[in-house]
Amino acid sequence: MKEITTQQQRVLDCIQVYLNKTGFPPTRADICKELGFKSPNSAETHLRALEKKGFISIESGTSRGISIIGGSAPDGQAQDEYPIIGLVAAGSPTLASENIESKINCPNNFFNSNFDYFLKVKGLSMKDAGIMEDDLVAVKKTNEVKNGDIVIARIDDEVTIKYFNRKSEKIVELQCANEDYKDIIINLENEDLTIEGKSIGLLRKN
Amino acid sequence: MKEITTQQQRVLDCIQVYLNKTGFPPTRADICKELGFKSPNSAETHLRALEKKGFISIESGTSRGISIIGGSAPDGQAQDEYPIIGLVAAGSPTLASENIESKINCPNNFFNSNFDYFLKVKGLSMKDAGIMEDDLVAVKKTNEVKNGDIVIARIDDEVTIKYFNRKSEKIVELQCANEDYKDIIINLENEDLTIEGKSIGLLRKN
DNA sequence: TATTATACTGTATATATATTCAGTATTTAA
DNA sequence: TTAAATACTGAATATATATACAGTATAATA
């Protein structure tokens, strides 16, 4: 799933809201009206971009033939239970049941991309990225990450959440967002690094 | 709800199946094809009967403007649409419709307390509290706040989000969580201060 | 530097679609 | 037994809608 732009996100949200409200998808004109565009082609091009990036599918020649891909069931209300996993300092596999602290019921299109679990954050190493102690980070399991992504990384059974920065072919920097913490430099020749997934959103209850 | 006939039930089922399969409702022609009718008017009359009996609603003049009534979301969790409101620098009442940027479907017990809307944050004045630009703060409308709460406050049509600190009977401090910003001291004798509500949670999409 | 992606306006048009009208036939309620 | 509801075919049509084409402009990328 490629990156989505702000405007494309607005269009995607607009489709979802329209679906929730009416029970059927919007036309190009409906989207224009909702978002203030003056030409139906504005909506059209955004829709084609969203289709190309895999967020929606468009049935050709079909009125309102838009459907949102990724967990979106009958009427966009689909929900699932997502586990909350503690950021265990050391030990057993992340998704092992003994690490599941609790579960949250949440629409599965809640964040822009689908995701697999919530990670409960310990420590303040990502403070300047707005990630505080006990925050729940929505994690999508993947190892396709790019520089600047906030990733969940495992080094020798130790799980951390950090910015990902590939410095060279063999050097990866796990960067903190807090000057009181030290960045972690991994030499892939000597050390093991597993990318568990990346952050696609955050939830905080206070 | 009146009695439904066998054929009307078949049409209703057909709509539901089509919705599950495609994500959008069928046309009259689609229903004909599915059920073997040879005239679109066959579908039309059944649809009108279903509408009259309250099983579906039909948006007049709208392609695929069929929605099934009642059958939408009874799979467990109570949900609601929560508006997302921009942090408008100045102007109109907070919940006025022109300020609603979008809506989010979310279980209404999602945060520990119930809440009324999401506020989209502008600026970084609460950065050290982990509240970043474009974060969505879940706001509960109330004016019962205590020291240390993160509140949504209005001063002369200007809406801000800050820590609440009552210094004395007439002095309230609205404290930032960012040393680059200045705290706001309000003397209630000279100045107006309205507490719109307080933050009970946070949502971030990235 | 050229190219591609994004982000629009504006016009035009083929066709997808709702919807009306004219029939026929059967069943059910008043 | 007369009307009303159900259950269809078939044709006609206004309009709702997708979609192409012609532009303009900006930012990102190679």
Side-chain angles (χ1 to χ4, degrees), chain A residues 5 7-8 37-39 41-42 46 53 61-63:
Chain A
T5 68
Q7 284 303 81
Q8 286 162 11
F37 302 150
K38 289 179 183 171
S39 166
N41 195 38
S42 302
H46 281 135
K53 292 180 178 178
T62 304
S63 70

Side-chain angles (χ1 to χ4, degrees), chain A residues 20-37:
Chain A
N20 291 341
K21 204 166 55 185
T22 67
F24 43 86
T27 63
R28 276 57 166 171
D30 290 329
I31 295 170
C32 288
K33 199 177 169 188
E34 206 67 35
L35 300 181
F37 302 150

Side-chain angles (χ1 to χ4, degrees), chain B residues 27-67:
Chain B
T27 64
R28 275 59 165 171
D30 291 329
I31 295 171
C32 288
K33 199 178 171 187
E34 205 68 34
L35 300 181
F37 302 150
K38 289 179 181 170
S39 166
N41 194 38
S42 302
E44 178 71 21
T45 48
H46 281 135
L47 289 174
R48 292 300 160 189
L50 284 167
E51 187 190 32
K52 205 174 169 186
K53 292 179 179 178
F55 291 97
I56 62 171
S57 76
I58 302 174
E59 192 71 18
S60 168
T62 303
S63 70
R64 301 174 189 272
I66 305 167
S67 60

Side-chain angles (χ1 to χ4, degrees), chain A residues 119-140:
Chain A
L119 186 74
K120 193 166 197 172
V121 175
K122 292 286 163 246
L124 285 168
S125 73
M126 293 298 279
K127 174 178 164 295
D128 291 343
I131 300 176
M132 314 302 274
E133 177 114 24
D134 290 334
D135 281 358
L136 302 175
V137 171
V139 178
K140 183 193 182 80

